[in-house]
Amino acid sequence: MNNKTDIIAKFINTAYGVDYTDRYMCPAEIYNYIFEENKQSYVWQSKQRYEMDLTEGSIYHLKARVGNRLLGGRGLSINEVEIIGQMNIDNKIIRLTQ
């Protein structure tokens, strides 16, 4: 059963070293990738750095499992993320990555 959700969201930024699932936001060896769609933030935490460079401000099509709301209203946790492609609607260019 595939419980992944399609998300079309803008990539906001990458952060390293803070665990957003920890109520005290303790330092951790973890990468955070933050996306936003309609004022809803999605935070993807990974112990491995994502192999492709993500461009801040670009729109991406993701397939992911949506988890719980993060502490302090920092958005929704997403995992098992698959980036389908980068989209540039202004120029009507859609680049798919496989």
Side-chain angles (χ1 to χ4, degrees), residues 4-88:
K4 289 189 175 183
T5 302
D6 284 302
I7 301 170
I8 307 290
K10 182 191 295 186
F11 177 63
I12 303 301
N13 68 10
T14 303
Y16 178 78
V18 176
D19 185 357
Y20 287 159
T21 60
D22 185 325
R23 72 186 309 189
Y24 301 110
M25 292 183 63
C26 291
E29 293 183 13
I30 198 161
Y31 292 90
N32 298 293
Y33 300 94
I34 302 166
F35 296 87
E36 185 177 276
E37 172 193 30
N38 294 330
K39 298 184 182 179
Q40 173 62 60
S41 294
Y42 296 94
V43 179
W44 170 29
Q45 294 196 150
S46 175
K47 292 188 184 240
Q48 314 311 316
R49 186 174 186 275
Y50 185 64
E51 63 270 3
M52 294 181 62
D53 288 328
L54 299 174
T55 305
E56 288 183 14
S58 291
I59 298 171
Y60 289 90
H61 177 195
L62 316 169
K63 276 189 139 347
R65 289 186 192 264
V66 178
N68 296 327
R69 179 156 301 284
L70 295 172
L71 298 170
R74 289 186 284 271
L76 291 173
S77 172
I78 57 175
N79 56 41
E80 296 182 33
V81 176
E82 177 185 353
I83 296 182
I84 305 299
Q86 179 181 2
M87 301 166 61
N88 184 336

